[in-house]
Amino acid sequence: EDQVTQSPEALRLQEGESSSLNCSYTVSGLRGLFWYRQDPGKGPEFLFTLYSAGEEKEKERLKATLTKKESFLHITAPKPEDSATYLCAVETYNTDKLIFGTGTRLQVFP
Amino acid sequence: KAGVTQTPRYLIKTRGQQVTLSCSPISGHRSVSWYQQTPGQGLQFLFEYFSETQRNKGNFPGRFSGRQFSNSRSEMNVSTLELGDSALYLCASSQPGQGVNEQFFGPGTRLTVL
């Protein structure tokens, strides 16, 4: 069965303290891996799509990387406005639907 | 380009009632997917509509149904509401092609069942 696991469940960082969020997946035939950011009471906001192992994408303080088994979302020198839940999802060749992890709740303190 | 819109944003219903939620996709997007989000289960896929046809379905009971209109707008209906149906219902639109299915989400409808 296709599965996506995110860790840690929650992460507290001091402003400027860099860290990484993990998304590990077990799927049969990865078509793409997606990262979303979700603020409380709002819908997920699209961040990145990664297609193949070795690929990297960057946006401001965020960098997403992909291997054959997992993806990392690196946050460099985070600011309080980076506080949100970060969701990872995969799409496989077997189905067009997205399978989501349960997310990592990030809190950045000044 | 306007984003995905959902109405209403908040709903309060009682057990046994039914509810209809609406979603307008990004202009040009022909696929609409619906998700249920709860603190315990995270985002769970309900179903996907493409060109007025249900293309995928998640593991939800038949009380959950949907449809899509010729303008790609979609509605989701839940009949005989239960307390456990309280959740944030999200719709996402996309334009499936030969690549991955990048989905863009609306703000959601918060449903509370009393």
Side-chain angles (χ1 to χ4, degrees):
Chain A
E1 183 184 346
D2 297 331
Q3 198 166 353
V4 178
T5 304
Q6 290 188 248
S7 61
E9 287 187 17
L11 183 62
R12 294 163 57 98
L13 297 174
Q14 204 72 30
E15 184 173 2
E17 180 187 1
S18 301
S19 187
S20 296
L21 282 54
N22 178 264
C23 170
S24 63
Y25 59 91
T26 307
V27 299
S28 50
L30 179 73
R31 177 181 280 175
L33 184 142
F34 308 88
W35 282 98
Y36 288 87
R37 168 195 169 125
Q38 186 174 26
D39 293 298
K42 297 188 177 180
E45 174 191 344
F46 175 80
L47 292 173
F48 304 109
T49 305
L50 299 167
Y51 298 92
S52 56
E55 189 176 3
E56 297 183 354
K57 287 195 176 173
E58 287 189 64
K59 180 180 179 179
E60 296 179 354
R61 294 177 292 282
L62 301 176
K63 182 168 85 171
T65 61
L66 181 65
T67 72
K68 289 186 178 179
K69 294 183 178 179
E70 58 192 349
S71 176
F72 292 94
L73 184 65
H74 307 277
I75 303 177
T76 302
K79 298 182 177 181
E81 52 261 42
D82 294 323
S83 298
T85 295
Y86 291 85
L87 297 165
C88 165
V90 299
E91 182 185 354
T92 73
Y93 284 101
N94 294 335
T95 175
D96 289 327
K97 64 183 182 183
L98 296 186
I99 303 167
F100 279 85
T102 52
T104 293
R105 188 174 69 254
L106 173 66
Q107 292 178 290
V108 182
F109 296 91
Chain B
K1 198 181 242 189
V4 178
T5 59
Q6 291 187 245
T7 57
R9 293 294 314 278
Y10 302 92
L11 266 178
I12 298 177
K13 293 285 187 180
T14 57
R15 279 179 298 173
Q17 288 187 308
Q18 76 166 22
V19 67
T20 299
L21 314 181
S22 181
C23 172
S24 292
I26 291 171
S27 177
H29 283 191
R30 294 166 61 195
S31 172
V32 173
S33 297
W34 288 90
Y35 295 85
Q36 180 195 66
Q37 187 175 35
T38 58
Q41 298 294 320
L43 269 153
Q44 300 287 311
F45 173 77
L46 281 155
F47 30 66
E48 180 199 5
Y49 285 87
F50 177 75
S51 294
E52 302 178 66
T53 301
Q54 189 180 86
R55 194 163 70 159
N56 268 308
K57 191 176 187 308
N59 297 323
F60 279 81
R63 301 185 295 108
F64 292 82
S65 62
R67 60 177 175 169
Q68 187 180 35
F69 302 95
S70 58
N71 62 358
S72 295
R73 190 177 70 85
S74 177
E75 286 182 348
M76 190 191 98
N77 184 274
V78 188
S79 62
T80 319
L81 284 166
E82 301 177 358
L83 294 179
D85 295 334
S86 294
L88 181 67
Y89 289 88
L90 294 158
C91 91
S93 79
S94 64
Q95 182 60 312
Q98 296 189 356
V100 295
N101 190 16
E102 290 179 350
Q103 298 188 8
F104 298 88
F105 285 82
T109 294
R110 171 73 62 184
L111 172 64
T112 302
V113 182
L114 302 176

